[in-house]
Amino acid sequence: MSFKYAVIGYGFIGRRHVNTLKSFEESDCVAVCDINPRRLEEVKALYPDMEVYTNADEMFAHADLDGVIISANNNQHKELVIKAARAGKHIICEKPAAMSVSDFDEMIAEVEKAGVIFTVHQQRRFDKDFRCVKECYDKRLVGDIYTIQSSLYGYNGNMHDWHVYREEGGGMLYDWGVHLIDQILYMVEGRLVSVYADIRNVINKEVDDYFKILLRFENGVTAEIELGTYFLSDRPDWFERHWFVGGNKGSMYADKFNPEGKIVRTTRLLENVAGEQDKSAASYGPTRSFGVPEPGLIVTDEIPHPECEQLDYFRNYFQAVKGEAEFLVKIPEVRRVLQVMEACRESARTMRSVDFE
């Protein structure tokens, strides 16, 4: 069984989608739609047999398709998803699926009415760094976890092409925030109690390029997400992915998208003894709680290294389409991420925490 797909929006991610669809036995990309004629010239040069269109309505009317991947600008997702649903095509939509929860609800209604498959490309659930941390969380490798810190920093400050325009759905909360929030919600089970966010335009005039988000869960976990496109340091590998997980049996850190790090533990704890104690520097360092640990006190274990890659998203997708598995990315999960993003904007606007679930 081979499914025929089209890609709408032949930008950076659209090019990857064409290659991906052509790499699977279950699928082929037979058409590309983009409003930029020069991009379509590139398509024809690379794939002479590919159908090209500058208008989605024309493509849906004439191309023989089972489904479509929508990778156009964020503000176009709603209209294109509805058009694809009404044309009877299965849909993979790039993230964020919609600019608002209300827009997403309209899209869901049209998809359900049409009876087509609809999911969202949250492929970073298969990133090696995230899966490493998720395994630590799931297996309680550092005991009862109380804090998870997820961060990503850049040096350029500015963004590319349409991402700098608010009306196009630009900005880092829409671009990366949707992934980082999705990862935390997919990992941490249970009710999300509150959301606090600081969202700023540090370098860019129209769109956000920095955010710090605090998510407090009923199970006692507080997740902190921080991203800055102009957040600078000369430390090695600063401009990379960073995770920190704190538990009552140790901590874990993992840096880089191909993660490097350790699980860190102590061989014993400082005893809480009332009264006079030996306060020598040799025993405790500069201070008893925050001094230099004595030799042998800190020990480390290797972090998990799960085997995964972003193509696993599509492996799951085609298995689910054929009825052999469940879709990993479910529509209620996508909607919940959008709800959190709206709560983040409300919190940033009011400078107050927002009650959530």
Side-chain angles (χ1 to χ4, degrees):
M1 180 184 297
S2 181
F3 301 98
K4 291 177 285 188
Y5 278 78
V7 171
I8 302 179
Y10 192 69
F12 172 77
I13 194 66
R15 290 174 171 87
R16 291 182 60 183
H17 285 319
V18 172
N19 292 334
T20 297
L21 289 168
K22 285 189 166 296
S23 71
F24 278 85
E25 292 182 0
E26 295 96 333
S27 66
D28 190 16
C29 182
V30 299
V32 169
C33 180
D34 197 290
I35 62 174
N36 187 334
R38 285 184 295 181
R39 290 181 175 179
L40 298 183
E41 290 174 6
E42 177 187 325
V43 173
K44 293 301 288 184
L46 292 172
Y47 311 103
D49 296 332
M50 186 88 71
E51 296 179 31
V52 295
Y53 299 88
T54 57
N55 181 280
D57 293 322
E58 181 182 353
M59 184 185 73
F60 287 132
H62 295 97
D64 181 17
L65 302 172
D66 298 300
V68 62
I69 300 181
I70 296 171
S71 54
N73 299 9
N74 293 339
N75 65 327
Q76 300 174 34
H77 291 177
K78 175 185 174 182
E79 178 184 1
L80 290 171
V81 165
I82 290 174
K83 285 184 176 183
R86 291 176 177 174
K89 312 304 179 187
H90 300 315
I91 305 159
I92 300 175
C93 185
E94 263 304 323
K95 56 76 198 170
M99 301 278 285
S100 68
V101 175
S102 60
D103 281 355
F104 191 63
D105 288 343
E106 290 183 46
M107 295 156 63
I108 294 171
E110 291 288 341
V111 165
E112 290 178 346
K113 186 189 304 181
V116 297
I117 295 168
F118 176 44
T119 188
V120 178
H121 188 227
Q122 294 284 176
Q123 84 283 7
R124 291 198 176 275
R125 293 187 183 187
F126 292 103
D127 280 4
K128 292 182 185 297
D129 62 283
F130 168 66
R131 286 286 172 157
C132 164
V133 176
K134 187 175 187 300
E135 185 171 333
C136 174
Y137 182 90
D138 291 343
K139 294 183 177 179
R140 302 179 69 250
L141 298 183
V142 294
D144 296 331
I145 291 170
Y146 61 92
T147 184
I148 302 171
Q149 298 171 13
S150 164
S151 56
L152 179 63
Y153 305 127
Y155 56 87
N156 185 51
N158 292 310
M159 283 166 265
H160 55 279
D161 50 72
W162 59 267
H163 289 279
V164 302
Y165 300 113
R166 180 184 301 171
E167 67 272 13
E168 298 288 327
M172 278 293 126
L173 188 63
Y174 278 138
D175 188 16
W176 266 95
V178 62
H179 279 310
L180 304 184
I181 293 169
D182 180 70
Q183 287 179 339
I184 295 295
L185 296 184
Y186 184 60
M187 176 165 51
V188 181
E189 74 283 355
R191 187 167 71 94
L192 176 60
V193 176
S194 66
V195 176
Y196 176 83
D198 180 14
I199 305 173
R200 296 177 183 252
N201 302 19
V202 177
I203 299 294
N204 293 267
K205 294 181 179 179
E206 284 198 29
V207 295
D208 59 277
D209 49 22
Y210 171 86
F211 55 77
K212 183 190 286 287
I213 299 168
L214 295 178
L215 306 176
R216 298 188 64 186
F217 292 86
E218 189 175 47
N219 66 1
V221 173
T222 296
E224 176 184 335
I225 303 170
E226 185 173 57
L227 177 145
T229 68
Y230 195 67
F231 205 86
L232 309 180
S233 174
D234 62 350
R235 279 181 272 179
D237 301 316
W238 177 254
F239 305 114
E240 265 279 8
R241 194 73 169 92
H242 305 283
W243 290 89
F244 179 85
V245 179
N248 65 350
K249 300 293 184 182
S251 302
M252 189 206 82
Y253 68 91
D255 300 310
K256 302 184 179 183
F257 286 98
N258 192 13
E260 299 176 3
K262 297 288 184 181
I263 294 172
V264 184
R265 312 182 198 278
T266 53
T267 54
R268 65 175 179 81
L269 298 177
L270 178 67
E271 294 182 3
N272 296 318
V273 180
E276 287 296 318
Q277 301 177 56
D278 177 11
K279 300 178 182 177
S280 67
S283 297
Y284 298 109
T287 69
R288 282 178 286 176
S289 295
F290 301 100
V292 178
E294 64 186 57
L297 183 66
I298 301 295
V299 294
T300 62
D301 292 323
E302 294 300 312
I303 59 174
H305 287 283
E307 291 296 324
C308 58
E309 60 178 343
Q310 292 185 359
L311 280 177
D312 290 339
Y313 170 90
F314 281 95
R315 294 186 180 101
N316 166 260
Y317 173 80
F318 288 120
Q319 286 180 332
V321 168
K322 293 185 291 186
E324 298 171 358
E326 289 188 1
F327 286 100
L328 177 77
V329 179
K330 299 176 175 59
I331 292 304
E333 297 170 345
V334 175
R335 189 178 189 276
R336 190 177 184 224
V337 171
L338 293 175
Q339 287 179 298
V340 170
M341 291 171 67
E342 289 193 353
C344 287
R345 295 196 186 278
E346 175 67 12
S347 174
R349 184 185 67 82
T350 61
M351 300 180 70
R352 297 180 184 277
S353 178
V354 174
D355 292 340
F356 196 70
E357 293 170 332

